[in-house]
mmCIF file of all heavy atoms in Angstrom:
data_model
loop_
_atom_site.group_PDB
_atom_site.id
_atom_site.type_symbol
_atom_site.label_atom_id
_atom_site.label_comp_id
_atom_site.label_asym_id
_atom_site.label_seq_id
_atom_site.Cartn_x
_atom_site.Cartn_y
_atom_site.Cartn_z
ATOM 1 N N LYS A 25 -143.371 -77.660 -33.708
ATOM 2 C CA LYS A 25 -142.655 -76.756 -32.804
ATOM 3 C C LYS A 25 -143.376 -75.418 -32.687
ATOM 4 O O LYS A 25 -143.536 -74.872 -31.596
ATOM 5 C CB LYS A 25 -141.229 -76.533 -33.313
ATOM 6 C CG LYS A 25 -140.299 -77.731 -33.152
ATOM 7 C CD LYS A 25 -138.910 -77.355 -33.610
ATOM 8 C CE LYS A 25 -137.935 -78.503 -33.401
ATOM 9 N NZ LYS A 25 -136.577 -78.166 -33.846
ATOM 10 N N LYS A 63 -139.001 -101.242 -22.358
ATOM 11 C CA LYS A 63 -138.567 -100.813 -21.026
ATOM 12 C C LYS A 63 -139.768 -100.492 -20.147
ATOM 13 O O LYS A 63 -139.807 -100.857 -18.965
ATOM 14 C CB LYS A 63 -137.645 -99.605 -21.136
ATOM 15 C CG LYS A 63 -137.102 -99.123 -19.799
ATOM 16 C CD LYS A 63 -136.139 -97.952 -19.975
ATOM 17 C CE LYS A 63 -135.604 -97.470 -18.627
ATOM 18 N NZ LYS A 63 -134.666 -96.330 -18.785
ATOM 19 N N TYR A 108 -145.259 -109.252 -36.283
ATOM 20 C CA TYR A 108 -144.131 -108.823 -37.102
ATOM 21 C C TYR A 108 -142.930 -108.542 -36.208
ATOM 22 O O TYR A 108 -143.060 -107.945 -35.147
ATOM 23 C CB TYR A 108 -144.475 -107.551 -37.880
ATOM 24 C CG TYR A 108 -144.889 -107.798 -39.313
ATOM 25 C CD1 TYR A 108 -146.034 -108.525 -39.603
ATOM 26 C CD2 TYR A 108 -144.128 -107.317 -40.372
ATOM 27 C CE1 TYR A 108 -146.421 -108.766 -40.916
ATOM 28 C CE2 TYR A 108 -144.499 -107.542 -41.691
ATOM 29 C CZ TYR A 108 -145.640 -108.266 -41.952
ATOM 30 O OH TYR A 108 -146.013 -108.511 -43.252
ATOM 31 N N GLY A 152 -157.710 -109.605 -37.244
ATOM 32 C CA GLY A 152 -157.960 -109.123 -35.890
ATOM 33 C C GLY A 152 -157.021 -108.034 -35.429
ATOM 34 O O GLY A 152 -157.338 -107.284 -34.506
ATOM 35 N N GLY A 170 -122.252 -100.815 -24.622
ATOM 36 C CA GLY A 170 -122.498 -102.162 -24.147
ATOM 37 C C GLY A 170 -123.379 -102.112 -22.921
ATOM 38 O O GLY A 170 -123.397 -101.121 -22.185
ATOM 39 N N LEU A 199 -124.381 -104.624 -34.254
ATOM 40 C CA LEU A 199 -124.798 -104.923 -32.882
ATOM 41 C C LEU A 199 -124.945 -106.423 -32.700
ATOM 42 O O LEU A 199 -125.112 -107.177 -33.669
ATOM 43 C CB LEU A 199 -126.097 -104.201 -32.513
ATOM 44 C CG LEU A 199 -127.392 -104.458 -33.290
ATOM 45 C CD1 LEU A 199 -128.056 -105.778 -32.926
ATOM 46 C CD2 LEU A 199 -128.378 -103.325 -33.045
ATOM 47 N N MET A 345 -145.635 -114.379 -49.973
ATOM 48 C CA MET A 345 -145.043 -115.359 -49.067
ATOM 49 C C MET A 345 -145.067 -116.726 -49.743
ATOM 50 O O MET A 345 -146.033 -117.087 -50.409
ATOM 51 C CB MET A 345 -145.847 -115.414 -47.756
ATOM 52 C CG MET A 345 -145.376 -116.467 -46.774
ATOM 53 S SD MET A 345 -146.411 -116.517 -45.269
ATOM 54 C CE MET A 345 -147.838 -117.440 -45.869
ATOM 55 N N TRP A 376 -155.017 -81.546 -44.960
ATOM 56 C CA TRP A 376 -155.291 -80.124 -45.102
ATOM 57 C C TRP A 376 -155.662 -79.566 -43.731
ATOM 58 O O TRP A 376 -156.435 -80.149 -42.996
ATOM 59 C CB TRP A 376 -156.391 -79.862 -46.137
ATOM 60 C CG TRP A 376 -157.784 -80.221 -45.705
ATOM 61 C CD1 TRP A 376 -158.763 -79.377 -45.271
ATOM 62 C CD2 TRP A 376 -158.376 -81.532 -45.667
ATOM 63 N NE1 TRP A 376 -159.921 -80.060 -44.967
ATOM 64 C CE2 TRP A 376 -159.707 -81.382 -45.204
ATOM 65 C CE3 TRP A 376 -157.901 -82.826 -45.973
ATOM 66 C CZ2 TRP A 376 -160.572 -82.456 -45.041
ATOM 67 C CZ3 TRP A 376 -158.771 -83.889 -45.818
ATOM 68 C CH2 TRP A 376 -160.079 -83.700 -45.355
ATOM 69 N N ILE A 409 -155.335 -131.676 -50.855
ATOM 70 C CA ILE A 409 -156.193 -130.559 -51.238
ATOM 71 C C ILE A 409 -155.419 -129.602 -52.140
ATOM 72 O O ILE A 409 -154.188 -129.527 -52.081
ATOM 73 C CB ILE A 409 -156.746 -129.793 -50.016
ATOM 74 C CG1 ILE A 409 -155.599 -129.154 -49.213
ATOM 75 C CG2 ILE A 409 -157.600 -130.677 -49.136
ATOM 76 C CD1 ILE A 409 -156.082 -128.167 -48.161
ATOM 77 N N SER A 438 -161.789 -103.372 -43.929
ATOM 78 C CA SER A 438 -162.121 -104.789 -44.061
ATOM 79 C C SER A 438 -160.854 -105.614 -43.938
ATOM 80 O O SER A 438 -159.743 -105.123 -44.140
ATOM 81 C CB SER A 438 -162.807 -105.061 -45.404
ATOM 82 O OG SER A 438 -161.908 -104.850 -46.477
ATOM 83 N N GLY A 456 -153.447 -130.336 -27.775
ATOM 84 C CA GLY A 456 -153.652 -129.062 -27.099
ATOM 85 C C GLY A 456 -155.068 -128.875 -26.590
ATOM 86 O O GLY A 456 -155.310 -128.076 -25.693
ATOM 87 N N LEU A 539 -148.226 -80.424 -8.740
ATOM 88 C CA LEU A 539 -147.686 -81.709 -8.272
ATOM 89 C C LEU A 539 -147.166 -82.491 -9.474
ATOM 90 O O LEU A 539 -147.690 -83.547 -9.844
ATOM 91 C CB LEU A 539 -148.771 -82.502 -7.531
ATOM 92 C CG LEU A 539 -149.451 -81.781 -6.362
ATOM 93 C CD1 LEU A 539 -150.527 -82.673 -5.741
ATOM 94 C CD2 LEU A 539 -148.410 -81.398 -5.307
ATOM 95 N N THR A 550 -163.503 -103.539 -22.522
ATOM 96 C CA THR A 550 -164.582 -104.522 -22.606
ATOM 97 C C THR A 550 -164.728 -105.002 -24.042
ATOM 98 O O THR A 550 -164.480 -104.247 -24.991
ATOM 99 C CB THR A 550 -165.917 -103.918 -22.129
ATOM 100 O OG1 THR A 550 -166.953 -104.911 -22.229
ATOM 101 C CG2 THR A 550 -166.317 -102.703 -22.951
ATOM 102 N N PRO A 656 -154.990 -122.676 -10.498
ATOM 103 C CA PRO A 656 -154.862 -121.216 -10.466
ATOM 104 C C PRO A 656 -153.657 -120.697 -11.250
ATOM 105 O O PRO A 656 -152.726 -121.441 -11.573
ATOM 106 C CB PRO A 656 -154.703 -120.904 -8.967
ATOM 107 C CG PRO A 656 -155.196 -122.112 -8.252
ATOM 108 C CD PRO A 656 -154.861 -123.265 -9.142
#
Side-chain angles (χ1 to χ4, degrees):
K25 288 184 177 180
K63 182 177 180 180
Y108 261 63
L199 61 77
M345 176 182 79
W376 73 102
I409 63 169
S438 67
L539 305 179
T550 180

